[in-house]
Every structure is written in structure tokens, then in C-alpha cells.
Amino acid sequence: MTAVQPPTGPLAGIRVVELAGLGPAPYACMLLAELGADVIRVDRPGGGTQLVPPEREALHRSRPSVAVDLKLPAGRDVVLRLVDSADVLVEGLRPGVTDRLGLGPDTCLARNPRLVYARMTGWGQDGPLAARAGHDINYLGLTGALHAIGTADKPVVPLNIGADFGGGSMFLLVGILAALLERGTSGQGQVVDAAMVDGASSLVTMIYGLLGAGLWQDRRAANLLDGGAPFYDTYACADGRHVAVGAIEPQFHAQLLAGLGIDPEEHGRQDDVARWPEQRKTIAGVFATRTRDEWAAAFEGTDACVTPVLGLTEAPAHPHLAARGTFTDRGGHPEPAPAPRFSRTPGAVRGGPRTPGQDTRAGLQAWGLPAEEIQELLDAGAVVQAG
């Protein structure tokens, strides 16, 4: 693998120490790196548990990896040296772990008062469940979000994008960027406690607002945005594939009916909830007469809000996504490109995933540790160079 490319982007000049973890924290650090931050990933020797082969772990791309034994005092001191010149430290370990390692926020902020110490957990740093294990589905389950997603019969798992990446990574990033912005005024760092359960709860703010206004029923497939409305749902086509329909506004709904050849007078009013089951049956019957791609072509250029439901292997080739460069190619496999876009300081994928410890020598030297000292640390087993 080639070396990680130099940072470019709006966060150029920001230095981030990442204590290796799984899922939301690595994703946030990948985004920071691709927006220009100088991120150094601190892995355990051997890399810990790998869910996928290291060379295909997309969340680990764009930043170097150094392997440090945090259980050894010399290894801990290496991280503290990195903290001294860092703007941000990101950790996604269970509450109390970094404190026991001697890398907790009190220790780090005492050395570097300008540090933004960002913590990513599922349940948060405190509360009755803080020490419990959990995953995206569990955090969504407690927020009400999972209850609202799915069919009338059961909740449906929305991958792990709701709590892990939406409620976790994104809110961690918001916290980091807000703390960096505030530091520009106060000159002081602080601790960011980002909990997936908090972020996932925030994501359903609008739904809770509708519920409070009496405009949402606390059951699935009975509301405007949960598949209850026949004009906001997916439909099977003649080839077994599906289209997505989002014709909420009356003018878009009119174009939907026109494209399907349905008489609006016979179909009934869009807001007549009592007729929704009948309307759904009519719409489903028409969509079933042609293939997905035939319907996509039929609605091309209209505002009926009808689009094909594309597979993961199909999406990167869609003309709109291809034109925008929404996906990039790495080793013959598509991966999403950096987002959002910037007019003057664009971000970039800076290289593929690194094997844990692949950049120990170069990474530590780039952060100011002398080559002779790095060799001593390697000899002592406090750090490990892989490969």
C-alpha cells in the first residue's frame, strides 16, 4: 500500500489522536482525515478483533496507523506525547477505560488545556446503562426510533446507520467542531460526551414534535413518513425489484397519478386516510405491470418523486451519482467519496486502510518523536512496526 497522502481540506492544520475502536469513532476520524485533519490512529499491537480483513476496512482509510501497547508505561507515555501537540483526542472505549490506562481527560487536559477530548459511547459516560454493552439496534430501541420504523407487524432494522453513524459519528463530529470553534474564543479545550442514544433521540425530534401535536400515531405504518401513506412507500414491480415513491406535496402527487394513468377523481383525496388501503392497492397493481427500470424511465424528468430502489452494486453507476463523483473506486470496489463538498478546500480520500502498526515509525516521527527514541520504543515492545 502506498503512503497516506498529505492532508488537504478545510481542517488542514488540525491534529487528531484516535484511540482505535470500532464503528462510529473510526468513521468520524475517517471523515476528519478526509476533510484535511492530520489524524494518527493508535492501534493495539496486532490490531485487536477485525470484522473484515484490514486491507478492506473502509473506515480505516486516509490516515496512518501506529501500534502502541497502552498497558506499558512507555506506551502510555507515547500517547501522552502525541496529546501534547494535538487539537483533538477521540476515543470510543467503554467509560472508565482510558482513565484506568492513565489517558483519561483529566490527565490529558492537564498536559494540554486546549485539547478537545471527544468520547464516543453507546449509552454515554453516566447513567444506569453506561457500563452495559449494546449495539445500534439497542440504542434505537430505547429512543422510540426503532418502534417507529418497519411494518405494522414488527420493527425493521435500518442497518446500523441510525444510532451508530447518524446518532453517533455525526453528533461526535458536531461536538468536536463546535468545541474547536469555541476554543477559538476561550482558548480552552473541553470534554465532548457523545452518546449514540442521545444522538439517535435527537434524530427523531420532528417525529416527537408531530406526536405532541397530535399528527402522529404511535404505531408503525400508520403515518405520513413510515409507509402508512400510499404516496410515500416502496412498490414491487413486474421483475420483483422496487421503486421508491415520495409524492407528498399535492402537485407531485398529481404527477404520480398521471404517470400511473390513475384517474384522480376515482382515486379520491390524498388526505383521505380512510381510503389509503384502497389507494395503495390501486397503486401497487399498476406498478406491478412493468419492470422497475421501465417505471424509472417513465417517470424520468418528472417531479412525481419516483425513483428506482438500487442495489449496492448498482448505485455507484447511476448517472446522477456518477456525474457528481459520489462514489470512488478502490481496488475495483466502489466506496463513498468524501462529503460534503467545498468550493476552495476540497477534501479527499488520502489512501486505503492501513494495517495496524504499518506506519509506526513514520507516523511517530511525523508527530515529532526522534528516530532514535522510536527505535528504543520498538526494542522495548512499547510500540510495534507491522510489515
Side-chain angles (χ1 to χ4, degrees):
M1 286 184 267
T2 59
V4 176
Q5 299 301 306
T8 59
L11 295 181
I14 298 296
R15 306 189 94 187
V16 180
V17 175
E18 172 192 359
L19 301 186
L22 297 175
Y27 178 52
C29 289
M30 181 200 82
L31 294 177
L32 289 171
E34 294 178 356
L35 292 178
D38 182 4
V39 182
I40 186 168
R41 178 177 169 87
V42 179
D43 275 295
R44 289 175 290 179
T49 302
Q50 294 290 340
L51 300 179
V52 298
E55 66 275 10
R56 294 266 25 126
E57 180 51 88
L59 298 184
H60 295 177
R61 72 188 189 192
S62 294
R63 57 210 193 273
S65 168
V66 302
V68 181
D69 190 341
L70 299 180
K71 294 181 180 179
L72 295 179
R76 177 205 61 205
D77 290 344
V78 167
V79 175
L80 292 176
R81 294 270 298 279
L82 298 176
V83 164
D84 288 343
S85 62
D87 296 286
V88 181
L89 181 143
V90 176
E91 63 100 346
L93 306 175
R94 288 204 197 189
V97 171
T98 56
D99 300 271
R100 290 194 295 273
L101 290 170
L103 297 171
D106 291 343
T107 300
C108 292
L109 284 165
R111 295 178 66 106
N112 181 358
R114 290 175 54 82
L115 182 72
V116 173
Y117 194 106
R119 320 187 83 171
M120 179 81 267
T121 58
W123 304 111
Q125 295 297 317
D126 53 29
L129 297 178
R132 286 266 299 273
H135 287 292
D136 184 285
I137 193 171
N138 307 117
Y139 312 132
L140 286 183
L142 250 62
T143 65
L146 186 60
H147 170 76
I149 301 171
T151 67
D153 296 329
K154 62 174 291 187
V156 172
V157 181
L159 301 180
N160 68 328
I161 59 178
D164 276 1
F165 300 125
S169 305
M170 292 298 131
F171 281 82
L172 179 67
L173 287 171
V174 168
I176 290 171
L177 297 178
L180 286 173
L181 186 63
E182 190 278 338
R183 189 185 71 174
T185 301
S186 69
Q188 298 294 306
Q190 59 182 306
V191 178
V192 176
D193 174 5
M196 296 173 225
V197 69
D198 295 344
S201 296
S202 181
L203 290 175
V204 285
T205 297
M206 186 184 79
I207 304 303
Y208 271 102
L210 292 172
L211 181 67
L215 300 175
W216 191 272
Q217 299 183 62
D218 195 14
R219 58 189 181 90
R220 290 178 300 280
N223 301 283
L224 178 65
L225 302 174
D226 64 356
F231 48 84
Y232 198 87
D233 203 356
T234 59
Y235 287 94
C237 302
D239 55 355
R241 295 189 287 185
H242 294 77
V243 292
V245 176
I248 296 177
E249 291 79 0
Q251 65 272 28
F252 302 156
H253 186 255
Q255 292 191 47
L256 169 66
L257 297 184
L260 293 173
I262 296 174
D263 185 342
E265 293 297 326
E266 293 183 6
H267 194 65
R269 293 196 329 271
Q270 182 182 3
D271 62 354
D272 188 350
V273 177
R275 294 195 63 179
W276 279 3
E278 172 192 345
Q279 292 173 351
R280 180 188 307 281
K281 184 176 180 181
T282 300
I283 293 173
V286 177
F287 271 123
T289 63
R290 299 167 75 177
T291 67
R292 182 199 67 180
D293 292 345
E294 287 174 336
W295 282 119
F299 282 103
E300 184 73 26
T302 75
D303 281 339
C305 301
V306 176
T307 53
V309 176
L310 300 178
L312 294 173
T313 57
E314 296 178 292
H318 187 275
H320 180 78
L321 303 184
R324 284 185 57 80
T326 300
F327 286 82
T328 186
D329 182 272
R330 185 169 63 81
H333 299 277
E335 289 181 1
R341 315 292 176 87
F342 294 84
S343 62
R344 289 189 299 103
T345 58
V349 176
R350 295 167 49 199
R354 311 296 286 173
T355 300
Q358 182 177 352
D359 308 292
T360 298
R361 285 184 184 274
L364 293 178
Q365 196 161 357
W367 275 59
L369 274 69
E372 300 80 7
E373 184 178 345
I374 295 171
Q375 186 59 55
E376 293 174 0
L377 291 165
L378 287 166
D379 293 341
V383 303
V384 175
Q385 174 69 47

